[in-house]
């Protein structure tokens, strides 16, 4: 059974600072997704990482994937208040397509950015 | 921009009653999913659906749950006899596929189910 662990679970940052959220998962997965969720809202897709070494950037967020280490990171650069939200990582699929489409979500990281 | 829609946004029901949650996936998507999120907890996979049949389901998706695509646009989740612990936000999602590679899943706004 795929287990996904994010850390930290709570992150309080000052505006302008940098930080990284880590996502470890327990079994081989050929893709990984990052989602953002605002309170009471749905899940917004941020990044889709499809291969080992994949790196994607959008604004102040950059995500990377190391499938050998079973690790993905979400790096926040020069945080601003608008980034306050809960961030989830979700490995999807499995080796040989054994779990086609199913996403297994981490616990989520609640990010609060203070002025 | 195409989006997944869900109705109702909030459903209150009594324990033991049947509920049907409705979703309209993005029109050219072929894969459909239901997830749920109990308040304050992580998002949990319930079921995936492709080509008019269930592809995979989780342990949560027991005999009380069923899914259906009754027509070309709707995708429904039925809970036959609701329990208090079924109270959660239920998200529908859909994704397209190209050459066997699944793209990201787009989530609907969710239906908040409250069982009293």
């Amino acid at each position: 059974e795929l287990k996904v662990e994010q850390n930290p679970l709570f992150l309080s940052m000052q505006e302008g600072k940098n930080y990284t959220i880590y996502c470890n998962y327990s079994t081989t997965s050929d893709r990984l997704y990052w989602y953002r969720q605002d309170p009471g809202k749905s899940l917004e897709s941020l990044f889709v990482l499809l291969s080992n070494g994949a790196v994607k950037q959008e604004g102040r967020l950059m995500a990377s994937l190391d499938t050998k280490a079973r690790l993905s990171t979400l790096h926040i650069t020069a945080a601003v208040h608008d980034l306050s939200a809960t961030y989830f990582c979700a490995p999807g699929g499995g080796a040989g397509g054994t779990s086609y489409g199913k996403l297994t979500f981490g616990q989520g990281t609640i990010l609060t950015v203070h002025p | 921009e195409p989006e997944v829609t869900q109705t109702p946004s909030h459903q209150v029901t009594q324990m033991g009653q049947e509920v049907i949650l409705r979703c309209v996936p993005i029109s050219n998507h072929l894969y459909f999913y239901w997830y749920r999120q109990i308040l304050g907890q992580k998002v949990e996979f319930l079921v995936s659906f492709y080509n008019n049949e269930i592809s995979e389901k989780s342990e949560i998706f027991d005999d009380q749950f069923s899914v259906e695509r009754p027509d070309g646009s709707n995708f429904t989740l039925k809970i036959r006899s609701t329990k208090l612990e079924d109270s959660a936000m239920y998200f529908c999602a859909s994704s397209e596929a190209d050459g066997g590679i699944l793209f990201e899943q787009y989530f609907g706004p969710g239906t908040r189910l409250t069982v009293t």
Side-chain angles (χ1 to χ4, degrees), chain B residues 67-90:
Chain B
V67 289
E68 194 178 29
R69 189 154 162 82
D71 53 43
S73 59
N74 289 285
F75 178 51
T76 62
L77 174 69
K78 182 193 291 185
I79 308 174
R80 191 173 311 132
S81 177
T82 50
K83 309 185 192 79
L84 293 176
E85 54 264 37
D86 293 328
S87 295
M89 182 74 93
Y90 287 80

Side-chain angles (χ1 to χ4, degrees), chain A residues 95-114:
Chain A
T98 55
S99 188
Y100 204 46
K102 168 185 174 181
L103 296 182
T104 303
F105 284 80
Q107 314 97 305
T109 296
I110 301 175
L111 170 65
T112 306
V113 181
H114 299 284

Side-chain angles (χ1 to χ4, degrees), chain B residues 2-60:
Chain B
E3 57 183 19
V4 177
T5 59
Q6 290 184 243
T7 54
S9 56
H10 191 191
Q11 173 91 45
V12 181
T13 190
Q14 287 190 323
M15 200 166 51
Q17 295 296 305
E18 174 184 287
V19 294
I20 298 176
L21 310 183
R22 291 183 165 80
C23 167
V24 179
I26 294 173
S27 62
N28 64 329
H29 286 187
L30 300 177
Y31 293 82
F32 315 119
Y33 313 85
W34 284 101
Y35 294 83
R36 79 171 186 191
Q37 185 179 33
I38 295 170
L39 187 64
Q41 297 187 23
K42 67 179 180 180
V43 179
E44 300 173 291
F45 170 81
L46 293 178
V47 66
S48 58
F49 190 87
Y50 169 70
N51 201 25
N52 280 321
E53 59 183 30
I54 290 173
S55 306
E56 187 173 6
K57 59 184 180 179
S58 70
E59 291 177 354
I60 303 167

Side-chain angles (χ1 to χ4, degrees), chain A residues 33 35 37 41-43 45 48 88 99-103 105-107, chain B residues 31 33 35 37 42-43 45 56 91 100 102-105 107-109:
Chain A
Y33 304 80
Y35 285 88
Q37 186 180 38
K41 302 291 187 183
S42 188
L43 294 145
S45 177
V48 182
F88 292 96
S99 188
Y100 204 46
K102 168 185 174 181
L103 296 182
F105 284 80
Q107 314 97 305
Chain B
Y31 293 82
Y33 313 85
Y35 294 83
Q37 185 179 33
K42 67 179 180 180
V43 179
F45 170 81
E56 187 173 6
F91 292 107
L102 284 177
F103 294 96
E104 68 246 65
Q105 294 176 24
F107 283 74

